[in-house]
Amino acid sequence: MTMEETKTILDENEIPKKWYNIQADLKTQLDPPLNPQTKEPITPEELKAIFPKELIKQEMSRERYIQIPEEVLEVYKLWRPTPLYRARRLEKALKTPAKIYYKWEGVSPPGSHKPNTAVAQAYYNMKEGVERLTTETGAGQWGSALAFATSIFDMDCTVYMVKCSYEQKPYRRVLMETWGANVFPSPSTQTEVGKKILETHPNTTGSLGIAISEAVEDAATHENTNYSLGSVLNHVMLHQTIIGLEMKKQFEALDDYPDIICGCVGGGSNFSGAAFPFIEDKIQGEHRDTRIVSCEPMACPTLTKGEYRYDFGDSAGLTPLLKMYTLGHNFVPPAIHAGGLRYHGDSPLLSKLTREGYMEAIAYYQNEVFEAAKLFAQTEGILVAPEAAHAVRAAIDFAKICKQKNEQKTIVFANSGHGFFDLAAYDAYNANKLQDYEHPKELILKSLKELPAV
Ligand SMILES: *Cc1c(COP(=O)(O)O)cnc(C)c1O
């Protein structure tokens, strides 16, 4: 390999054959999810109404490596292994001695990391005889990943899409429908939850919390139908480790190892997937100086301003209670363009590792994030998703610090997806119309006060 290479590309037969389960290496176990009524730990039995057995097993497993089914690997080959790029033109523009790398997940058919878990989830459900999956989607990134995955395995897919996105952002809906999914604006008349809300609030624009409640009700009340979640849960983090496992092989090929790893965090899946295989090294006492940095919006600062405690996963309070960093399930973040980073909570695994000091977090304003995305587009050519742009901002800031200190550090960021469906956001930024929000401390404290007592 010469110094001039831009992409480090693995062969198809080098795709990792197992996912890495960080639960095997935790010094103390995760606090268990609790039944929202009894506040007792959830039993696998209770989860069977909406999840397949294999995913329930993975959710609780403490086996270090879990075999990726052959059929899933076959689908992964449509876009995996994904390239690890060296951002040489960005380095040059910044005049930094640092090396900047990014792992590019935008090459998947739906354009993000999300099919890494959507394909696995659809497969296990199909294997257990499930014929239809339900889910919710905000702007449509998760819905389109699941629509793609279910079409591959000949399953039906019902997506409850937050009504304001359904009306304002039609293109991801078109993508989902082209893959064969049924998409309803939420709240809908398909479910009791939806009908009740429409009676009292006929003009509501909907919310992710309502859409989750609809998708769960639909799955729980229909035969051969399950529910599927695109982030937060342990089995989702597990499937996403394919990203970090590939990255490790790529850095081995480069004979290098990252000093700084950053990525954006909504529910935590793309960044956990990229970072956990490196945190494994830290837990084993190697590469302890490597910094692992979560990037989040100032408008939804879960890790930097939230509290680490039990909370519901949805706003209706129907889901199990999870121990995580949270801003409170009633927290409604401002309508920033990085829709995928507007979740009130975070993955329990990522939360615990942050609490224990293996990871840290930084929050950014949206204008500085788009400024970074624009520089990235103009140097590297790729137009990243507004979510991924948070990681670009962090990588640039770290590279600037390296310039000041004249340090040749190796920086890598998880580049979670492309922004071709987010051009309205770029349009607003280019026209100087983006607003910076910082969520007021009082509102965060107010919403944290409404957390359930456990
Ligand atoms: C959904 C999404 C995210 C946020 O979700 P995580 O689970 O935190 O990864 C980030 N980037 C892109 C491109 C997404 O589609």
Side-chain angles (χ1 to χ4, degrees):
M1 192 159 297
T2 69
M3 286 302 290
E4 267 64 59
E5 287 202 29
T6 297
K7 296 194 290 304
T8 304
I9 300 176
L10 302 171
D11 285 338
E12 265 182 20
N13 61 23
E14 291 177 282
I15 298 180
K17 305 290 183 291
K18 291 169 183 175
W19 293 298
Y20 166 57
N21 178 17
I22 202 162
Q23 290 196 72
D25 289 314
L26 296 178
K27 298 262 155 73
T28 56
Q29 283 164 39
L30 276 182
D31 293 300
L34 306 179
N35 178 304
Q37 270 102 45
T38 64
K39 315 265 162 79
E40 292 296 320
I42 289 268
T43 61
E45 218 43 54
E46 290 174 271
L47 296 171
K48 275 190 194 149
I50 55 171
F51 292 117
K53 284 200 273 314
E54 182 58 30
L55 291 179
I56 298 170
K57 199 169 128 204
Q58 292 181 1
E59 188 65 19
M60 305 184 170
S61 168
R62 262 174 265 139
E63 247 175 85
R64 180 168 287 113
Y65 294 103
I66 292 175
Q67 196 77 34
I68 306 176
E70 199 57 47
E71 295 91 326
V72 172
L73 284 169
E74 281 306 315
V75 183
Y76 277 175
K77 281 184 193 166
L78 289 174
W79 73 96
R80 305 208 73 86
T82 64
L84 179 75
Y85 275 85
R86 172 95 181 260
R88 290 181 190 278
R89 289 178 179 79
L90 177 63
E91 290 169 14
K92 210 174 264 172
L94 297 170
K95 301 194 180 65
T96 177
K99 290 182 272 182
I100 306 176
Y101 292 92
Y102 61 94
K103 178 69 166 165
W104 181 221
E105 291 296 305
V107 288
S108 77
S112 78
H113 65 287
K114 288 196 169 81
N116 295 331
T117 186
V119 169
Q121 291 190 42
Y123 169 78
Y124 290 120
N125 276 290
M126 178 272 290
K127 272 304 214 202
E128 294 182 30
V130 172
E131 290 162 358
R132 183 170 68 100
L133 288 179
T134 69
T135 198
E136 72 289 335
T137 198
Q141 285 161 320
W142 169 243
S144 51
L146 196 66
F148 158 71
T150 47
S151 80
I152 294 263
F153 294 115
D154 265 330
M155 302 169 76
D156 293 327
C157 183
T158 304
V159 181
Y160 294 90
M161 185 173 189
V162 178
K163 193 194 268 171
C164 61
S165 299
Y166 183 94
E167 285 163 359
Q168 287 163 13
K169 299 179 177 171
Y171 298 120
R172 284 231 174 239
R173 169 179 61 74
V174 176
L175 193 59
M176 291 185 260
E177 288 172 346
T178 305
W179 273 315
N182 278 312
V183 187
F184 297 103
S186 166
S188 74
T189 52
Q190 301 294 306
T191 65
E192 293 309 314
V193 180
K195 281 187 220 162
K196 210 174 271 170
I197 293 168
L198 284 175
E199 263 168 36
T200 48
H201 299 92
N203 298 319
T204 178
T205 53
S207 74
L208 210 50
I210 296 171
I212 294 178
S213 306
E214 287 204 276
V216 169
E217 181 193 313
D218 183 341
T221 53
H222 289 91
E223 285 292 305
N224 298 331
T225 302
N226 269 347
Y227 168 72
S228 178
L229 191 64
S231 189
V232 181
L233 299 179
N234 302 338
H235 66 264
V236 181
M237 307 299 126
L238 172 79
H239 301 153
Q240 294 293 356
T241 60
I242 189 90
I243 302 173
L245 292 166
E246 281 182 11
M247 266 167 72
K248 264 191 145 171
K249 288 191 179 187
Q250 287 162 316
F251 275 108
E252 268 164 35
L254 289 162
D255 199 17
D256 200 350
Y257 194 94
D259 299 300
I260 299 168
I261 306 175
C262 36
C264 68
V265 171
S269 72
N270 87 86
F271 191 46
S272 297
F276 284 2
F278 293 90
I279 295 181
E280 178 186 13
D281 292 346
K282 274 194 160 195
I283 295 175
Q284 310 299 346
E286 295 162 40
H287 299 287
R288 286 214 198 141
D289 295 336
T290 291
R291 290 180 65 182
I292 303 195
V293 186
S294 298
C295 308
E296 61 181 16
M298 279 283 186
C300 189
T302 317
L303 294 166
T304 50
K305 293 193 182 154
E307 283 182 15
Y308 182 56
R309 52 185 292 183
Y310 272 106
D311 194 7
F312 297 109
D314 64 332
S315 40
L318 301 174
T319 69
L321 289 160
L322 301 174
K323 180 86 172 277
M324 59 186 175
Y325 277 95
T326 179
L327 294 165
H329 60 283
N330 290 327
F331 172 82
V332 182
I336 52 163
H337 285 286
L341 306 186
R342 290 178 71 234
Y343 184 61
H344 68 271
D346 260 326
S347 141
L349 279 169
L350 181 144
S351 293
K352 182 176 169 72
L353 291 162
T354 304
R355 179 70 162 197
E356 292 176 355
Y358 291 103
M359 309 173 78
E360 55 190 297
I362 307 181
Y364 298 96
Y365 292 105
Q366 62 176 354
N367 274 297
E368 58 183 344
V369 161
F370 275 92
E371 181 194 31
K374 193 161 176 171
L375 177 62
F376 192 74
Q378 292 179 351
T379 50
E380 295 296 313
I382 288 176
L383 193 128
V384 301
E387 291 84 2
H390 288 69
V392 178
R393 177 76 261 170
I396 288 176
D397 287 353
F398 282 118
K400 284 182 171 171
I401 295 171
C402 287
K403 185 185 174 192
Q404 282 160 12
K405 297 190 178 168
N406 198 22
E407 290 177 329
Q408 204 202 21
K409 292 214 160 138
T410 297
I411 301 168
V412 63
F413 68 95
N415 196 345
S416 53
H418 69 63
F420 290 161
F421 291 95
D422 302 284
L423 292 175
Y426 279 88
D427 196 27
Y429 175 74
N430 290 338
N432 224 342
K433 284 187 188 152
L434 273 194
Q435 276 185 355
D436 278 337
Y437 299 99
E438 181 169 354
H439 209 69
K441 189 95 195 153
E442 310 81 71
L443 284 183
I444 294 175
L445 289 175
K446 179 171 170 284
S447 128
L448 284 172
K449 276 218 187 81
E450 292 159 12
L451 285 193
V454 174

